[in-house]
Amino acid sequence: MSFKLSIPLVLSLLASFSAVSAQQCNATSLCPSSAPCCSEFGFCGTGDFCLGGCNPLASNTLTSCMPEPVCQNANLTFSDTSRILSNATYFDGNATKYDWVVNSGTIINSTSGELAMILTEDNGGTRLSSTRYVHYGQITARLKTGRWGGVVTAFITMSDIKDEIDWEFPGDQTTEGQSNFFWQGVVPQKTVGETHGNLSDTFSNYHDYTIDWQQDTLTWLIDGQTVRTLKRSDVTGDDGVSRYPSTPSRVQLSIWPAGINSSGQGTIDWAGGLINWDDPDYKAAGHFYALVESVSVTCADSKSNPSDAQSYVYGKNASAFSPQVTVTNETTVNNGAGSLRALAGANVWTAIGASAVMALGALLV
């Protein structure tokens, strides 16, 4: 289950973008050429709509979205916020300038080099997205979760066509974590999520949560120990379709309010009930929070990609059942609102199957 944004917050984000069409979009209702890019929220537009989260299968053409910045091995820490863009709508696609963008909410950089993601009754939660994508690889987040009913801490990967791999920590269950995955946003009738327990307090103690995502095997680990493994063959149906996450994805970190009245009852129950905004922790600090110490990324394609590889692009024959991704040297930078690029003439090497930053010393409980 991915980070949820409230309708008022989504509308305010849409209003801040450079050009917005009232038209909604999906795989069967594509965007018009005048507003060619289908944003992660399912609205047509230009400019920012064509960057992170732009769905190529719902946009005007497969080449309407900007190319996705290619994966690079990294160990990302948070001693300061110089590599975090605090407002994602100002991101132009240049992943050499920033490692993260803040999609919504508020972050705090603590004096001990931790990143705090903040949830208040008014801000709707905080979400950060990596500026680079991962197309198979190993990602580890070292973090401390929240501990309050209705509040969810999450570390996930999310592709532009909604392939998703999750580590989630709902409510006040501080001795366990939950693993899950989704294929192209399809919610199965029966959940495929699993719970992994016997952890030392996840609020008080840092743990390393790993997503080891390879072409045929997906493994979830805690502190280096495997807790779950999924094979591609496990989710390949009789129709031959592999319902396995297989498209380039951003890394996302978040804290979000599942336990609010606008959520479905099932979501509220899953998250541990409605949030108590009178909780002593909230009263003392003025917010709930989760802490991140580091995120490391080891790209599976780092050795096979050319040294000047810049981007992933969905291929001409990409479809919902067989998304094809190419590694190219196309630029990822969107020079101005509505700036689009054409695939023709691109140098394509490889086809691969497919808010404000608060000051130091802010009060934490």
Side-chain angles (χ1 to χ4, degrees), residues 4-5 61 80 88 118 121 123 135 154 201 271 310 332 337 355-356:
K4 308 299 180 186
L5 297 177
T61 70
D80 59 52
I118 301 304
E121 193 168 3
N123 80 348
H135 196 195
D201 190 311
Q310 292 193 48
T332 64
S355 188

Side-chain angles (χ1 to χ4, degrees), residues 82-198:
S82 61
R83 298 289 299 176
I84 303 174
L85 181 60
S86 61
N87 187 333
T89 64
Y90 295 134
F91 183 57
D92 65 0
N94 187 351
T96 65
K97 291 177 61 177
Y98 298 102
D99 299 320
W100 304 94
V101 295
V102 179
N103 303 107
S104 60
T106 305
I107 58 173
I108 294 172
N109 182 234
S110 78
T111 54
S112 56
E114 302 162 309
L115 183 77
M117 301 181 292
I118 301 304
L119 167 64
T120 69
E121 193 168 3
D122 298 323
N123 80 348
T126 295
R127 186 186 76 183
L128 290 84
S129 296
S130 64
T131 57
R132 292 192 177 276
Y133 286 67
V134 180
H135 196 195
Y136 304 118
Q138 182 171 286
I139 311 104
T140 297
R142 184 169 178 80
L143 57 84
K144 292 180 179 179
T145 72
R147 63 177 178 184
W148 306 280
V151 177
V152 178
T153 306
F155 152 50
I156 74 172
T157 64
M158 175 70 78
S159 86
D160 292 349
I161 64 171
K162 302 297 188 288
D163 282 342
E164 179 179 346
I165 306 169
D166 297 348
W167 267 119
E168 291 190 295
F169 309 89
D172 57 1
Q173 302 302 306
T174 57
T175 60
E176 62 187 39
Q178 296 184 9
S179 62
N180 209 344
F181 72 96
F182 298 89
W183 173 75
Q184 298 186 17
V186 175
V187 179
Q189 290 185 342
K190 183 179 180 181
T191 181
V192 293
E194 294 186 7
T195 299
H196 314 282
N198 299 317

Side-chain angles (χ1 to χ4, degrees), residues 18-19 36-37 45-48 50 334-341:
S18 54
C37 297
T46 64
D48 304 89
C50 303
N334 187 359
N335 293 314
S339 175
L340 306 177
R341 92 279 180 261

Side-chain angles (χ1 to χ4, degrees), residues 201-215:
D201 190 311
T202 60
F203 174 80
S204 300
N205 302 298
Y206 273 109
H207 292 281
D208 293 325
Y209 302 98
T210 298
I211 295 170
D212 189 358
W213 176 38
Q214 306 302 325
Q215 291 199 39

